[in-house]
Amino acid sequence: MPGLYPGFYPGSTAFPGVTYPDPDPTWWLGPLGRLRRLPVPKPGIEQPSIRFGGIHQGLSGARTVDVTGYRQEYKFTFDYMTPAEWQYLELLHHRHIQGPYYLINPLKPNRISARAIAGRQMDPVGSIRGGVSSNAELRPVRDGDYPPASAGALVATELPEWEGSLGFFVFDREQPFPILPGEYLSVGVWMRGTTHEFDVQVLISWYDKHHQPLTPGASEPIEVRRQWTHVTVEAILVPAGAAGATFGILIPSASIPGNRVRFAGPQANGGRELKPFMAGHGAPQVVIDQLTDTSPRFPLRSGELTVLEV
Protein backbone atom coordinates (compact mmCIF):
# COMPACT_ATOMS: atom_id res chain seq x y z
CA MET A 1 0.00 0.00 0.00
CA PRO A 2 1.47 3.39 -0.96
CA GLY A 3 0.37 4.93 2.33
CA LEU A 4 2.79 2.72 4.24
CA TYR A 5 5.80 4.24 2.46
CA PRO A 6 4.99 7.87 1.60
CA GLY A 7 7.47 9.15 -0.96
CA PHE A 8 8.85 5.70 -1.74
CA TYR A 9 6.59 4.20 -4.37
CA PRO A 10 6.20 4.61 -8.14
CA GLY A 11 4.57 7.88 -9.06
CA SER A 12 5.39 9.58 -5.78
CA THR A 13 5.52 13.38 -5.87
CA ALA A 14 7.60 13.74 -2.71
CA PHE A 15 10.31 15.22 -4.96
CA PRO A 16 9.29 16.63 -8.37
CA GLY A 17 10.57 14.48 -11.21
CA VAL A 18 11.69 11.68 -8.89
CA THR A 19 10.01 8.30 -8.46
CA TYR A 20 11.04 5.58 -6.04
CA PRO A 21 10.69 1.83 -6.43
CA ASP A 22 9.05 -0.23 -3.73
CA PRO A 23 11.61 -0.69 -0.93
CA ASP A 24 13.12 -4.02 0.07
CA PRO A 25 12.68 -4.14 3.86
CA THR A 26 15.40 -6.74 4.47
CA TRP A 27 18.24 -5.87 6.88
CA TRP A 28 21.50 -7.82 6.55
CA LEU A 29 24.19 -8.21 9.22
CA GLY A 30 27.44 -10.14 9.45
CA PRO A 31 31.00 -10.41 8.15
CA LEU A 32 31.94 -9.73 4.55
CA GLY A 33 30.77 -12.62 2.39
CA ARG A 34 28.64 -14.16 5.13
CA LEU A 35 25.94 -11.61 5.84
CA ARG A 36 22.60 -13.05 6.95
CA ARG A 37 19.08 -11.69 6.89
CA LEU A 38 18.00 -10.31 10.23
CA PRO A 39 14.62 -11.38 11.57
CA VAL A 40 11.87 -8.93 10.67
CA PRO A 41 12.15 -6.21 13.36
CA LYS A 42 9.16 -4.57 15.02
CA PRO A 43 8.16 -1.15 13.65
CA GLY A 44 9.91 1.84 15.16
CA ILE A 45 13.57 1.02 14.43
CA GLU A 46 15.74 3.63 16.12
CA GLN A 47 18.75 4.87 14.12
CA PRO A 48 19.92 8.23 15.46
CA SER A 49 22.85 9.97 13.78
CA ILE A 50 25.13 11.09 16.62
CA ARG A 51 27.25 14.22 16.16
CA PHE A 52 30.69 14.18 17.76
CA GLY A 53 32.48 17.41 18.61
CA GLY A 54 31.82 20.31 20.94
CA ILE A 55 29.62 23.34 21.43
CA HIS A 56 31.37 26.57 22.45
CA GLN A 57 29.50 29.57 23.80
CA GLY A 58 30.93 33.08 23.61
CA LEU A 59 30.47 35.95 26.07
CA SER A 60 27.57 37.23 23.98
CA GLY A 61 25.86 33.86 24.12
CA ALA A 62 26.64 33.07 20.48
CA ARG A 63 27.32 29.41 19.92
CA THR A 64 29.81 27.66 17.66
CA VAL A 65 29.48 23.97 16.88
CA ASP A 66 32.63 21.99 16.16
CA VAL A 67 31.94 18.77 14.26
CA THR A 68 34.55 16.01 14.26
CA GLY A 69 32.24 13.44 12.71
CA TYR A 70 28.92 11.61 12.73
CA ARG A 71 28.17 8.02 13.65
CA GLN A 72 24.90 6.13 13.59
CA GLU A 73 23.39 3.82 16.14
CA TYR A 74 20.74 1.20 15.41
CA LYS A 75 18.31 -0.35 17.87
CA PHE A 76 16.14 -3.27 16.79
CA THR A 77 13.35 -5.01 18.67
CA PHE A 78 12.52 -8.58 17.68
CA ASP A 79 9.59 -10.72 18.78
CA TYR A 80 9.30 -14.51 18.71
CA MET A 81 12.64 -15.36 17.13
CA THR A 82 13.34 -18.99 16.33
CA PRO A 83 16.27 -20.66 18.13
CA ALA A 84 18.37 -20.42 14.94
CA GLU A 85 17.65 -16.70 14.52
CA TRP A 86 18.53 -16.01 18.16
CA GLN A 87 21.68 -18.11 18.05
CA TYR A 88 23.10 -16.10 15.14
CA LEU A 89 22.66 -12.82 17.02
CA GLU A 90 24.18 -14.31 20.17
CA LEU A 91 27.19 -15.63 18.25
CA LEU A 92 27.77 -12.15 16.78
CA HIS A 93 27.39 -10.51 20.17
CA HIS A 94 29.95 -12.80 21.81
CA ARG A 95 32.38 -12.46 18.87
CA HIS A 96 32.23 -16.17 18.10
CA ILE A 97 31.93 -15.19 14.43
CA GLN A 98 35.04 -13.43 13.18
CA GLY A 99 34.48 -9.82 12.11
CA PRO A 100 34.49 -7.12 11.04
CA TYR A 101 30.71 -6.91 10.70
CA TYR A 102 28.68 -4.93 8.18
CA LEU A 103 25.06 -3.83 8.18
CA ILE A 104 23.05 -3.34 4.97
CA ASN A 105 20.33 -0.80 5.70
CA PRO A 106 17.27 -1.05 3.39
CA LEU A 107 16.24 2.47 4.37
CA LYS A 108 19.44 3.80 2.77
CA PRO A 109 20.04 2.06 -0.58
CA ASN A 110 23.20 4.05 -1.35
CA ARG A 111 26.20 2.07 -0.06
CA ILE A 112 28.74 4.86 -0.63
CA SER A 113 30.02 6.47 2.58
CA ALA A 114 28.92 9.93 3.69
CA ARG A 115 32.50 11.25 3.43
CA ALA A 116 32.82 10.04 -0.16
CA ILE A 117 29.50 11.61 -1.14
CA ALA A 118 30.73 14.88 0.35
CA GLY A 119 33.84 14.64 -1.86
CA ARG A 120 36.26 14.47 1.06
CA GLN A 121 39.72 13.32 0.04
CA MET A 122 40.77 10.00 1.52
CA ASP A 123 42.90 10.41 4.62
CA PRO A 124 46.44 9.36 3.53
CA VAL A 125 47.21 7.72 6.88
CA GLY A 126 43.84 5.99 7.12
CA SER A 127 42.81 7.44 10.48
CA ILE A 128 39.44 8.56 9.06
CA ARG A 129 37.22 6.03 7.32
CA GLY A 130 35.75 6.68 3.90
CA GLY A 131 36.42 9.30 1.28
CA VAL A 132 37.63 9.73 -2.29
CA SER A 133 41.04 8.59 -3.56
CA SER A 134 42.49 10.38 -6.58
CA ASN A 135 45.75 11.17 -8.34
CA ALA A 136 44.82 14.86 -8.17
CA GLU A 137 44.08 17.21 -5.31
CA LEU A 138 40.31 17.44 -4.87
CA ARG A 139 38.69 20.82 -4.32
CA PRO A 140 35.14 21.68 -3.24
CA VAL A 141 33.01 23.57 -5.78
CA ARG A 142 31.89 26.87 -4.26
CA ASP A 143 30.44 28.74 -7.25
CA GLY A 144 26.97 27.19 -7.07
CA ASP A 145 27.57 24.79 -9.97
CA TYR A 146 25.60 21.66 -9.06
CA PRO A 147 23.65 18.98 -10.96
CA PRO A 148 19.92 19.47 -11.61
CA ALA A 149 17.71 19.67 -8.53
CA SER A 150 16.13 16.31 -9.37
CA ALA A 151 19.57 14.71 -8.91
CA GLY A 152 19.35 15.39 -5.18
CA ALA A 153 23.10 16.05 -4.90
CA LEU A 154 23.97 19.42 -3.38
CA VAL A 155 27.74 19.01 -2.99
CA ALA A 156 30.13 19.00 -5.95
CA THR A 157 33.88 18.39 -6.12
CA GLU A 158 36.43 19.04 -8.85
CA LEU A 159 39.75 17.70 -10.10
CA PRO A 160 41.67 20.71 -11.48
CA GLU A 161 44.51 18.85 -13.23
CA TRP A 162 46.48 15.64 -12.86
CA GLU A 163 49.87 14.37 -13.90
CA GLY A 164 50.37 11.60 -16.43
CA SER A 165 48.24 10.06 -19.16
CA LEU A 166 45.16 9.30 -17.08
CA GLY A 167 43.17 10.60 -14.14
CA PHE A 168 40.99 8.74 -11.69
CA PHE A 169 38.95 8.99 -8.53
CA VAL A 170 37.62 6.08 -6.49
CA PHE A 171 34.99 6.17 -3.76
CA ASP A 172 35.92 4.42 -0.50
CA ARG A 173 38.90 2.72 -2.07
CA GLU A 174 40.16 1.32 1.24
CA GLN A 175 36.69 0.44 2.50
CA PRO A 176 34.80 -1.87 0.09
CA PHE A 177 31.07 -1.95 0.69
CA PRO A 178 29.43 -5.37 1.17
CA ILE A 179 27.56 -7.07 -1.66
CA LEU A 180 25.35 -10.14 -1.65
CA PRO A 181 25.91 -13.32 -3.68
CA GLY A 182 23.92 -13.38 -6.89
CA GLU A 183 22.69 -9.79 -6.64
CA TYR A 184 22.99 -7.11 -9.29
CA LEU A 185 24.81 -3.82 -8.67
CA SER A 186 24.05 -0.44 -10.25
CA VAL A 187 26.31 2.62 -9.93
CA GLY A 188 26.32 6.20 -11.08
CA VAL A 189 27.78 9.66 -10.56
CA TRP A 190 27.09 13.11 -12.03
CA MET A 191 30.00 14.64 -13.97
CA ARG A 192 30.87 17.50 -16.29
CA GLY A 193 33.87 19.28 -17.81
CA THR A 194 33.96 23.05 -17.42
CA THR A 195 35.41 23.72 -20.89
CA HIS A 196 35.75 20.43 -22.80
CA GLU A 197 33.97 17.12 -23.33
CA PHE A 198 35.86 13.92 -22.60
CA ASP A 199 35.39 10.15 -22.19
CA VAL A 200 35.44 8.18 -18.96
CA GLN A 201 35.14 4.57 -17.90
CA VAL A 202 33.36 3.28 -14.82
CA LEU A 203 35.70 1.02 -12.86
CA ILE A 204 34.35 -1.66 -10.49
CA SER A 205 36.84 -3.34 -8.16
CA TRP A 206 35.77 -6.63 -6.57
CA TYR A 207 37.05 -8.13 -3.32
CA ASP A 208 36.64 -11.55 -1.74
CA LYS A 209 35.59 -12.18 1.87
CA HIS A 210 39.21 -11.77 3.00
CA HIS A 211 39.41 -8.28 1.41
CA GLN A 212 41.71 -9.63 -1.30
CA PRO A 213 41.22 -8.03 -4.74
CA LEU A 214 39.64 -10.00 -7.58
CA THR A 215 39.71 -9.17 -11.30
CA PRO A 216 38.21 -5.67 -11.73
CA GLY A 217 35.79 -4.66 -14.44
CA ALA A 218 35.59 -1.52 -16.57
CA SER A 219 32.76 -0.17 -18.70
CA GLU A 220 32.89 0.95 -22.29
CA PRO A 221 33.85 4.64 -22.73
CA ILE A 222 31.08 7.06 -21.73
CA GLU A 223 31.05 10.65 -22.97
CA VAL A 224 30.93 13.43 -20.39
CA ARG A 225 29.67 16.77 -21.69
CA ARG A 226 30.09 20.33 -20.52
CA GLN A 227 26.61 20.12 -19.02
CA TRP A 228 26.04 17.85 -16.04
CA THR A 229 25.97 14.26 -17.30
CA HIS A 230 24.75 11.26 -15.32
CA VAL A 231 27.37 8.55 -15.83
CA THR A 232 25.71 5.23 -15.00
CA VAL A 233 26.22 1.50 -15.37
CA GLU A 234 23.33 -0.72 -14.31
CA ALA A 235 22.58 -4.40 -13.77
CA ILE A 236 26.17 -5.48 -13.09
CA LEU A 237 26.05 -9.12 -12.02
CA VAL A 238 28.19 -9.73 -8.95
CA PRO A 239 30.84 -12.31 -9.92
CA ALA A 240 31.24 -15.58 -8.05
CA GLY A 241 33.38 -15.23 -4.94
CA ALA A 242 32.95 -11.46 -4.66
CA ALA A 243 31.92 -10.19 -1.22
CA GLY A 244 32.80 -6.47 -1.45
CA ALA A 245 33.16 -3.79 -4.10
CA THR A 246 34.26 -0.24 -4.77
CA PHE A 247 33.55 1.93 -7.74
CA GLY A 248 35.29 4.85 -9.35
CA ILE A 249 35.91 6.76 -12.55
CA LEU A 250 38.88 6.36 -14.89
CA ILE A 251 39.69 9.22 -17.28
CA PRO A 252 41.93 7.59 -19.92
CA SER A 253 43.54 10.81 -21.13
CA ALA A 254 45.83 13.56 -19.95
CA SER A 255 44.21 16.54 -18.27
CA ILE A 256 43.27 19.45 -20.53
CA PRO A 257 44.65 22.79 -19.29
CA GLY A 258 41.82 24.91 -17.92
CA ASN A 259 39.26 22.08 -17.99
CA ARG A 260 38.15 21.22 -14.47
CA VAL A 261 36.47 17.84 -14.06
CA ARG A 262 33.56 18.07 -11.63
CA PHE A 263 31.55 15.29 -10.01
CA ALA A 264 28.67 14.97 -7.53
CA GLY A 265 26.16 12.51 -6.17
CA PRO A 266 27.92 9.12 -6.34
CA GLN A 267 25.61 6.19 -5.78
CA ALA A 268 25.95 2.40 -5.60
CA ASN A 269 22.90 0.28 -4.84
CA GLY A 270 21.81 -3.30 -5.22
CA GLY A 271 19.40 -4.05 -8.04
CA ARG A 272 19.12 -3.93 -11.81
CA GLU A 273 18.40 -0.19 -11.86
CA LEU A 274 20.06 2.83 -10.30
CA LYS A 275 17.70 4.28 -7.72
CA PRO A 276 17.15 8.02 -7.23
CA PHE A 277 20.00 9.61 -5.30
CA MET A 278 19.82 9.30 -1.53
CA ALA A 279 22.28 10.16 1.21
CA GLY A 280 24.74 7.33 1.54
CA HIS A 281 26.09 5.25 4.36
CA GLY A 282 23.71 2.39 3.65
CA ALA A 283 26.26 -0.35 4.42
CA PRO A 284 28.48 0.74 7.35
CA GLN A 285 30.95 -1.35 9.30
CA VAL A 286 29.48 -1.91 12.74
CA VAL A 287 30.00 -3.52 16.14
CA ILE A 288 27.44 -5.24 18.36
CA ASP A 289 26.93 -3.24 21.54
CA GLN A 290 24.07 -4.84 23.47
CA LEU A 291 21.77 -7.84 23.13
CA THR A 292 18.92 -8.48 25.55
CA ASP A 293 16.35 -11.24 25.49
CA THR A 294 13.27 -12.75 27.06
CA SER A 295 11.49 -15.98 26.26
CA PRO A 296 7.77 -15.30 25.81
CA ARG A 297 7.15 -18.94 24.98
CA PHE A 298 9.55 -21.87 24.84
CA PRO A 299 11.68 -22.13 22.73
CA LEU A 300 11.10 -18.70 21.11
CA ARG A 301 13.05 -15.58 22.09
CA SER A 302 12.31 -11.87 22.02
CA GLY A 303 14.83 -9.11 22.59
CA GLU A 304 16.61 -5.93 21.59
CA LEU A 305 19.80 -5.56 19.53
CA THR A 306 21.91 -2.39 19.62
CA VAL A 307 24.45 -1.91 16.83
CA LEU A 308 27.02 0.91 16.60
CA GLU A 309 28.77 2.23 13.54
CA VAL A 310 32.54 2.01 14.01
Side-chain angles (χ1 to χ4, degrees):
M1 294 176 59
L4 293 176
Y5 301 100
F8 289 82
Y9 56 90
S12 165
T13 57
F15 296 95
V18 176
T19 58
Y20 290 85
D22 290 323
D24 176 3
T26 305
W27 293 78
W28 297 79
L29 177 65
L32 206 64
R34 293 186 293 154
L35 282 81
R36 288 193 191 180
R37 289 183 177 90
L38 287 179
V40 178
K42 291 182 63 176
I45 299 168
E46 298 180 25
Q47 47 176 342
S49 181
I50 309 299
R51 175 191 57 81
F52 291 90
I55 299 178
H56 309 282
Q57 186 167 338
L59 295 177
S60 66
R63 292 173 178 173
T64 301
V65 179
D66 290 336
V67 179
T68 58
Y70 296 89
R71 289 295 183 271
Q72 282 208 269
E73 300 179 2
Y74 307 84
K75 189 172 184 179
F76 304 91
T77 302
F78 304 106
D79 280 344
Y80 300 101
M81 287 181 286
T82 65
E85 291 172 333
W86 166 258
Q87 180 179 344
Y88 181 64
L89 297 182
E90 191 171 38
L91 290 173
L92 291 175
H93 180 51
H94 290 288
R95 277 62 170 179
H96 293 323
I97 297 177
Q98 185 175 356
Y101 305 145
Y102 295 86
L103 180 73
I104 294 182
N105 181 350
L107 297 172
K108 292 187 173 184
N110 192 355
R111 299 181 193 177
I112 303 298
S113 74
R115 279 184 56 84
I117 288 177
R120 306 285 180 84
Q121 193 126 23
M122 196 78 180
D123 182 16
V125 298
S127 61
I128 301 176
R129 300 182 59 81
V132 185
S133 299
S134 176
N135 63 338
E137 182 180 357
L138 303 178
R139 299 177 184 174
V141 173
R142 303 189 186 278
D143 59 6
D145 179 26
Y146 308 124
S150 61
L154 300 178
V155 177
T157 306
E158 68 178 19
L159 288 73
E161 293 183 5
W162 57 87
E163 296 182 0
S165 59
L166 59 85
F168 71 86
F169 54 91
V170 180
F171 304 106
D172 302 322
R173 186 177 186 179
E174 306 299 327
Q175 185 183 336
F177 54 79
I179 50 180
L180 304 173
E183 79 169 335
Y184 286 87
L185 183 68
S186 295
V187 300
V189 62
W190 287 86
M191 294 186 65
R192 87 175 191 93
T194 56
T195 61
H196 290 76
E197 298 176 348
F198 55 96
D199 288 341
V200 301
Q201 290 177 280
V202 174
L203 179 66
I204 305 292
S205 297
W206 307 105
Y207 297 84
D208 66 15
K209 64 182 180 181
H210 303 296
H211 286 246
Q212 296 303 308
L214 303 175
T215 303
S219 72
E220 295 295 323
I222 300 172
E223 183 183 37
V224 174
R225 302 181 180 90
R226 284 177 289 174
Q227 298 78 32
W228 282 103
T229 305
H230 203 192
V231 177
T232 65
V233 178
E234 299 179 306
I236 308 165
L237 181 60
V238 171
T246 63
F247 109 88
I249 294 294
L250 179 68
I251 309 172
S253 60
S255 61
I256 302 172
N259 184 45
R260 298 187 299 277
V261 174
R262 294 183 167 180
F263 67 88
Q267 172 123 344
N269 60 252
R272 293 175 180 265
E273 297 180 351
L274 189 68
K275 299 176 182 179
F277 176 80
M278 294 185 71
H281 231 37
Q285 185 177 326
V286 297
V287 293
I288 311 300
D289 180 38
Q290 299 292 335
L291 178 64
T292 64
D293 82 291
T294 59
S295 182
R297 186 178 64 191
F298 181 84
L300 304 179
R301 311 289 276 270
S302 297
E304 294 183 347
L305 173 70
T306 304
V307 177
L308 307 178
E309 180 188 353
V310 300

